[in-house]
């Protein structure tokens, strides 16, 4: 594949970086991160090698779910700046070759959104049907709530009209009625607006919850979320051919794959691979590559225009809901046995490094694996320096502490008094004096430097994003070995998930004698591809190999 082709369908080869403006950098000393602060750090992100920024919600919001509760889908929360500051961020990112996508929240609004304020006033409000109501007592739906620590039903009685409204998330987040064509029109208008502002696409929140099939008492209320996504996609593509929809769809593969658009590729362009992420943790816990290998073997085939977004952590709890109860318990036992570290009976409220006991070899192996897996890798801010969680912050928010730029006051995030920050900076072993950008960017041996080289290596291997994936059996269950191929290019990666060194034999690759195996980092010649080759891996060691045809130029 020619490198020039990687700029077409850019999402096939993207390195996505998710951040929350609120906790990234405070430029005016009021304690809250802002868009002007983010603008100052665009070059930092470009230097790291990120190609796409995903901005968590920056819209006006009462902040009862960290901005995932929106009161104005067209606005910028004043605490972060004004729309002009957002345009400056987008323009600067574009200038540095980065795309910008934003969270698109169409499953629900805040209960303070003017639509809902009007809708709940009377059954005849013109916005009444923007939401989903029932006039009879709902049955027990406690098994359908997303946040079982706070909610026990997906229906909430609204005293004024004596009817119940639907909310899969918190009761202050009423679900929009996407079966209503007027709501679909609103959604399309919102998308159009942000595309005109300069956004390059959206991370689509909570897709499986788009009202699909609920019993309202008055009968079954059914919408087909797939038809909605088709409409949205068709519109998006008409307006901006290269804009992307990256969906949050945490479902088993068989159900999930339908959101790419049943063989048509006409719904979401990308989806996070929750199944592979969860299997990766089981593999880490066991020091055994098989759970991940078996999961990737089940991964459905997708059209070349679609892509998986791979990730190790995100802004929510590390959900393990697709594992069996026993498997989940194994991961809990290894990475968060204390109930204080667990959430909702399904997840862990931790970042990766503390889960891996801060072992630098294991952490680097984990990220090398991430960047080598077929798909487009996604990072959550602070992962590149190995930030830890702050368990003093309640619930899921423990991983959303301020970004650690330096060892100075508030980790260089803000000059304000610590009491004014949205959340406290992480302390103890992961405090800014030990974990910060300033130290790590100057240290060629740091995690930051390691991740930076992995990103740049990944960017020179489009076959990982585009190519055919194949697991390789090297006869050691602790080693995850795989190959990605596209036309003449191929990369092989080996990751030792176990603590002990191991020597494995890589079988002949099946290529002709013109092809040799070369180490992707130092270009050392290993062997001709026709010979079996012994590879030594340290405990938690990894190797990336390229298959190079005689006479082919080396990527520097
Ligand atoms: C998604 C987000 C989560 C949010 C929820 C409700 O799951 O990732 O952070 O709370 O949607 O919008």
């Amino acid at each position: 594949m020619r490198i020039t082709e990687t700029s077409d369908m850019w999402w096939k080869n993207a390195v996505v970086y998710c951040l929350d403006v609120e906790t990234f950098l405070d430029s005016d000393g009021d304690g809250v991160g802002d868009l002007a602060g983010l603008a100052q750090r665009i070059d930092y992100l470009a230097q790291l090698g990120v190609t796409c920024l995903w901005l968590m919600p920056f819209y006006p919001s009462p902040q009862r779910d960290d901005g995932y509760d929106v009161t104005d889908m067209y606005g910028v929360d004043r605490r972060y700046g004004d729309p002009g500051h957002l345009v400056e961020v987008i323009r600067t990112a574009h200038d540095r070759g980065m795309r910008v996508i934003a969270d698109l929240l169409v499953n629900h609004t805040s209960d303070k959104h003017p639509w809902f304020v009007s809708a709940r006033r009377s059954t005849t409000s013109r916005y009444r049907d923007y939401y989903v109501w029932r006039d009879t007592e709902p049955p027990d739906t406690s098994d359908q709530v997303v946040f079982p620590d706070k909610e026990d039903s997906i229906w909430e009685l609204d005293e004024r009209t004596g009817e119940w409204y639907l909310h899969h998330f918190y009761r202050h987040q009423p679900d929009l009625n996407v079966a209503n064509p007027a709501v679909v029109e609103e959604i399309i208008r919102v998308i159009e607006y942000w595309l005109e502002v300069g956004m390059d696409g959206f991370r689509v929140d909570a897709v499986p919850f788009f009202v699909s099939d609920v019993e309202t008492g008055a009968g079954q209320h059914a919408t087909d979320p797939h038809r909605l996504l088709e409409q949205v996609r068709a519109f998006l593509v008409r307006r901006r051919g290269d804009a992307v929809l990256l969906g949050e769809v945490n479902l088993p593969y068989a159900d999930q794959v339908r959101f790419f658009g049943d063989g048509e590729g006409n719904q979401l362009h990308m989806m996070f691979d929750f199944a592979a992420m969860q299997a990766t943790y089981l593999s880490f816990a066991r020091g055994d590559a098989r759970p991940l290998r078996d999961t990737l073997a089940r991964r459905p085939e997708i059209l070349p225009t679609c892509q998986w977004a791979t990730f190790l952590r995100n802004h929510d709890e590390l959900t393990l809901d697709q594992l069996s109860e026993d498997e989940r318990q194994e991961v809990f036992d290894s990475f968060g046995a204390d109930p204080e570290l667990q959430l909702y009976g399904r997840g862990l409220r931790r970042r990766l490094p503390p889960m891996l006991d801060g072992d630098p070899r294991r952490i680097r192996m984990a990220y090398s694996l991430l960047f080598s897996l077929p798909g487009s890798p996604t990072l959550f801010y602070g992962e590149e320096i190995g930030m830890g969680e702050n368990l003093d912050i309640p619930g899921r928010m423990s991983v959303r502490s301020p970004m650690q730029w330096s060892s100075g006051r508030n980790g260089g995030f803000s000059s304000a008094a610590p009491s004014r920050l949205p959340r406290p900076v992480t302390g103890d072993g992961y405090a800014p004096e030990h974990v910060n950008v300033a130290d790590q960017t100057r240290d060629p041996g740091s995690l930051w430097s390691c991740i930076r080289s992995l990103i740049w290596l990944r960017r020179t291997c489009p076959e990982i994003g585009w190519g055919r994936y194949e697991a390789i059996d090297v006869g050691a269950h602790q080693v995850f070995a795989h190959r990605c191929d596209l036309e003449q290019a191929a990369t092989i990666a080996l990751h030792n998930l176990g603590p002990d060194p191991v020597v494995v034999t890589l079988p002949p690759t099946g290529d002709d004698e013109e092809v040799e195996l070369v180490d992707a980092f130092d270009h050392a010649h290993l062997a001709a591809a026709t010979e079996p080759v012994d590879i030594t891996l340290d405990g938690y060691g990894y190797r990336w190999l390229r298959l190079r045809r005689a006479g082919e130029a080396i990527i520097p």
Side-chain angles (χ1 to χ4, degrees):
M1 177 182 196
R2 283 177 296 128
I3 200 78
T4 44
E5 289 172 48
T6 60
S7 61
D8 190 20
M9 288 193 258
W10 59 269
W11 57 88
K12 296 286 291 183
N13 238 9
V15 179
V16 183
Y17 187 98
C18 167
L19 66 91
D20 190 355
V21 173
E22 184 184 36
T23 48
F24 205 57
L25 181 66
D26 167 22
S27 71
D28 58 7
D30 67 355
V32 180
D34 46 47
L35 289 157
L38 170 56
Q40 288 177 34
R41 290 295 184 266
I42 295 287
D43 281 318
Y44 162 78
L45 296 167
Q47 188 190 7
L48 184 60
V50 167
T51 65
C52 176
L53 300 187
W54 152 24
L55 303 184
M56 286 168 66
F58 49 75
Y59 313 106
S61 159
Q63 298 291 332
R64 295 185 67 194
D65 182 15
D66 198 22
Y68 282 90
D69 46 331
V70 177
T71 51
D72 176 6
M73 295 188 188
Y74 296 100
V76 170
D77 195 299
R78 297 183 91 85
R79 301 183 316 142
Y80 309 143
D82 56 38
H85 291 115
L86 179 64
V87 167
E88 284 182 337
V89 164
I90 297 174
R91 171 173 52 79
T92 310
H94 285 172
D95 179 65
R96 309 306 198 260
M98 278 184 278
R99 262 100 177 175
V100 184
I101 65 173
D103 255 289
L104 180 72
L105 296 138
V106 295
N107 180 68
H108 50 260
T109 65
S110 158
D111 62 352
K112 301 285 181 292
H113 192 291
W115 296 340
F116 192 70
V117 171
S118 167
R120 76 193 316 182
R121 243 182 241 135
S122 92
T123 53
T124 57
S125 157
R126 66 173 280 227
Y127 293 107
R128 186 74 174 178
D129 283 343
Y130 273 41
Y131 299 89
V132 184
W133 301 88
R134 59 177 293 148
D135 57 8
T136 52
E137 179 105 32
D140 179 10
T141 53
S142 54
D143 58 339
Q144 294 176 49
V145 302
V146 179
F147 301 126
D149 59 331
K150 295 278 189 296
E151 304 294 345
D152 57 12
S153 169
I154 58 170
W155 295 100
E156 178 71 8
L157 177 65
D158 196 41
E159 300 287 347
R160 185 157 177 155
T161 56
E163 293 189 359
W164 288 259
Y165 62 85
L166 183 70
H167 64 90
H168 277 96
F169 294 88
Y170 299 111
R171 73 190 69 178
H172 58 75
Q173 288 169 322
D175 281 9
L176 280 166
N177 176 12
V178 295
N180 179 350
V183 171
V184 177
E185 264 179 46
E186 299 276 6
I187 293 170
I188 299 253
R189 215 176 357 257
V190 167
I191 291 174
E192 163 154 52
Y193 176 80
W194 290 111
L195 290 179
E196 290 294 324
V197 167
M199 286 292 175
D200 300 289
F202 302 91
R203 179 260 186 192
V204 192
D205 188 60
V207 174
F209 297 94
F210 295 176
V211 179
S212 42
D213 215 349
V214 281
E215 167 58 53
T216 59
Q220 207 69 10
H221 177 101
T223 344
D224 188 345
H226 297 287
R227 299 292 86 74
L228 172 69
L229 287 171
E230 281 168 12
Q231 276 172 280
V232 165
R233 171 73 177 261
F235 174 81
L236 188 86
V237 171
R238 281 204 302 282
R239 285 303 149 96
R240 272 280 306 276
D242 65 346
V244 77
L245 295 171
L246 162 57
E248 181 200 25
V249 187
N250 179 14
L251 292 176
Y253 282 139
D255 301 318
Q256 183 183 20
V257 72
R258 298 196 49 219
F259 288 87
F260 281 125
D262 283 336
E264 303 274 328
N266 59 355
Q267 296 179 38
L268 299 167
H269 299 79
M270 297 178 82
M271 278 188 260
F272 294 105
D273 190 345
F274 280 91
M277 180 281 286
Q278 300 185 33
T280 303
Y281 281 90
L282 186 58
S283 274
F284 288 165
R286 290 184 180 167
D288 183 339
R290 285 172 290 190
L292 176 58
R293 202 189 54 203
D294 296 349
T295 301
L296 288 176
R298 292 191 291 107
R299 209 193 218 189
E301 284 288 319
I302 54 175
L303 289 174
T305 52
C306 300
Q307 181 62 307
W308 298 102
T310 50
F311 67 109
L312 288 174
R313 285 300 289 117
N314 66 12
H315 60 294
D316 287 322
E317 79 280 8
L318 163 61
T319 183
L320 301 165
D321 60 348
Q322 293 199 35
L323 301 182
S324 72
E325 210 159 303
D326 290 347
E327 292 168 341
R328 185 162 46 247
Q329 195 55 48
E330 277 182 77
V331 178
F332 281 171
D333 291 345
S334 299
F335 301 135
D338 183 345
E340 154 73 358
L341 302 167
Q342 301 168 11
L343 214 51
Y344 316 132
R346 63 170 186 250
L348 290 166
R349 50 193 214 96
R350 309 195 77 185
R351 282 181 175 259
L352 177 122
M355 288 194 277
L356 302 186
D357 295 325
D359 183 338
R361 299 169 310 160
R362 214 174 172 189
I363 297 166
R364 287 163 200 229
M365 179 277 292
Y367 284 103
S368 169
L369 179 66
L370 170 69
F371 287 104
S372 73
L373 289 180
S376 291
T378 304
L379 289 174
F380 180 52
Y381 75 90
E383 284 196 273
E384 73 275 27
I385 51 170
M387 271 171 59
E389 68 278 352
N390 182 347
L391 294 167
D392 294 340
I393 310 172
R396 287 177 297 151
M397 302 299 141
S398 53
V399 301
R400 304 190 199 177
S401 62
M403 180 67 180
Q404 297 173 190
W405 295 105
S406 71
S407 58
R409 185 184 173 95
N410 300 318
F413 160 71
S414 169
S415 58
S419 59
R420 300 187 64 194
L421 308 191
R423 284 177 213 114
V425 173
T426 297
D428 301 330
Y430 290 89
E433 51 185 307
H434 308 294
V435 176
N436 71 68
V437 169
D439 290 349
Q440 292 198 25
T441 48
R442 281 161 188 77
D443 174 4
S446 67
L447 178 64
W448 187 89
S449 299
C450 169
I451 289 192
R452 180 174 189 259
S453 2
L454 287 167
I455 291 178
W456 287 90
L457 179 58
R458 168 66 185 79
R459 288 179 60 167
T460 62
C461 300
E463 60 274 19
I464 296 177
W466 280 84
R468 198 177 60 251
Y469 156 85
E470 197 188 324
I472 306 174
D473 187 358
V474 290
H477 62 75
Q478 68 272 43
V479 176
F480 183 84
H482 72 290
R483 168 176 178 152
C484 293
D485 268 87
L486 192 74
E487 297 160 15
Q488 297 296 316
T491 295
I492 291 175
L494 299 102
H495 289 83
N496 181 4
L497 310 194
D500 302 318
V502 59
V503 182
V504 292
T505 305
L506 193 64
T509 66
D511 298 87
D512 58 49
E513 68 276 5
E514 292 277 283
V515 175
E516 60 168 351
L517 279 171
V518 181
D519 186 287
F521 289 98
D522 64 12
H523 306 306
H525 165 89
L526 261 83
T530 44
E531 308 161 8
V533 49
D534 284 346
I535 311 254
T536 305
L537 295 165
D538 291 338
Y540 303 124
Y542 58 87
R543 295 288 292 270
W544 289 46
L545 313 174
R546 283 184 202 280
L547 287 156
R548 197 176 65 193
R549 194 155 282 280
E552 199 184 315
I554 302 176
I555 299 173

